[in-house]
Amino acid sequence: MAEICPVCGLPKELCMCEEIAREQQTVRISIDSRRYGKTVTVIDGIDENDIDINDLAKKLKNRCAAGGTCKDGRIELQGDHKKKVKAVLEEMGFRTEVR
């Protein structure tokens, strides 16, 4: 028996909840400077209730070949990866805003 989505009530194969949530959110990408002149790419504005933020962070870290973490509902990647992160998120269906 197929799993049922608790939000829309459709089978998981037909569920569009996550794709709709991606289209409705505007993700902000910015650069932050930390101690000793280290730069960090900060991805903010993702609703943790609709999107699995840990899985998204894992995909971004893998695609950017960088370390990083999830803190307080935002993703932090080591280094300046604005262009690559913007391309990857738009490919996944998110609307992005670079600061």
Side-chain angles (χ1 to χ4, degrees):
M1 178 111 186
E3 288 186 50
I4 304 293
C5 176
V7 177
C8 64
L10 293 173
K12 289 286 186 178
E13 297 87 34
L14 300 175
C15 179
M16 300 294 285
C17 296
E18 193 167 318
E19 289 180 34
I20 292 170
R22 287 180 183 171
E23 293 172 358
Q24 292 176 347
Q25 296 178 20
T26 300
V27 179
R28 293 175 300 279
I29 303 167
S30 61
I31 298 295
D32 193 14
S33 182
R34 298 290 166 94
R35 283 200 284 177
Y36 311 114
K38 303 289 184 181
T39 57
V40 177
T41 304
V42 179
I43 299 102
D44 195 16
I46 301 170
D47 187 12
E48 293 181 65
N49 298 327
D50 297 330
I51 307 293
D52 185 10
I53 196 165
N54 291 319
D55 185 48
L56 180 60
K58 184 177 178 181
K59 289 177 185 176
L60 288 173
K61 290 190 298 184
N62 192 2
R63 294 284 294 269
C64 294
T69 187
C70 295
K71 286 185 182 177
D72 303 324
R74 60 187 201 169
I75 300 171
E76 298 178 355
L77 298 176
Q78 297 172 353
D80 185 356
H81 299 285
K82 279 193 294 190
K83 292 179 183 177
K84 193 176 284 190
V85 168
K86 179 177 170 61
V88 170
L89 288 176
E90 286 179 349
E91 179 182 303
M92 293 174 135
F94 287 99
R95 285 188 295 158
T96 59
E97 174 184 308
V98 178
R99 292 185 187 185

